[in-house]
Amino acid sequence: MEEEKIVNNIIEGICPIRDIIASLSDKWSLLVVYTLSQNPKMRFSELHKSINDISQRMLTVTLRSLEADGLVSRQIYPEVPPRVEYQLTELGYSLLDPLKGLVNWARENTAVIQKSRKSYL
């Protein structure tokens, strides 16, 4: 069986696969997706408390990026003060199985990677 190859599809100078992976592999995106998967809907303040080392600005930027990619939806309620809730979309939920695989791999290999990092220095 021939090894499957990833095709580098260039559309208007952008590789869509590379672009999507780069968007998701920043410091916060996968953590926000995982946190939202633990609750059906979350307010900004709840998310911020759940990810205590993210700044408000970075959480805002990350949520906007995930919303633009169709992974997160935002619901604004016309109240005073306005209430805003975030939740994963169907596309966002479809990312959870690959994400869980990556998390499990990291858990299984943490000790080996930490040992390798120490010996590298």
Side-chain angles (χ1 to χ4, degrees):
M1 179 194 237
E2 188 177 320
E3 186 177 320
E4 186 177 329
K5 296 180 182 179
I6 296 176
V7 179
N8 188 10
N9 294 320
I10 305 292
I11 301 171
E12 298 177 11
I14 298 172
C15 174
I17 294 170
R18 191 177 324 142
D19 179 57
I20 292 167
I21 291 172
S23 176
L24 292 173
S25 64
D26 66 15
K27 186 174 180 178
W28 301 109
S29 292
L30 293 179
L31 185 55
V32 169
V33 168
Y34 181 77
T35 302
L36 284 171
S37 75
Q38 303 303 299
N39 299 288
K41 293 182 180 181
M42 292 185 81
R43 295 179 73 170
F44 184 91
S45 60
E46 294 171 321
L47 266 170
H48 192 245
K49 287 176 188 173
S50 296
I51 309 171
N52 58 9
D53 50 343
I54 190 171
S55 70
Q56 287 186 356
R57 182 188 181 298
M58 199 66 238
L59 180 56
T60 299
V61 168
T62 302
L63 285 167
R64 286 180 182 165
S65 176
L66 292 169
E67 187 179 7
D69 286 347
L71 299 169
V72 169
S73 66
R74 178 178 59 161
Q75 177 70 45
I76 303 170
Y77 296 91
E79 301 172 356
V80 178
R83 180 169 48 109
V84 180
E85 292 180 336
Y86 296 89
Q87 65 183 31
L88 291 179
T89 62
E90 188 175 328
L91 182 62
Y93 277 108
S94 74
L95 180 58
L96 293 179
D97 282 338
L99 177 56
K100 287 176 186 175
L102 183 59
V103 168
N104 289 336
W105 179 88
R107 282 186 183 139
E108 291 168 7
N109 293 286
T110 296
V112 174
I113 291 170
Q114 288 176 340
K115 183 179 177 183
S116 180
R117 286 177 179 172
K118 284 181 183 178
S119 68
Y120 182 76
L121 300 174

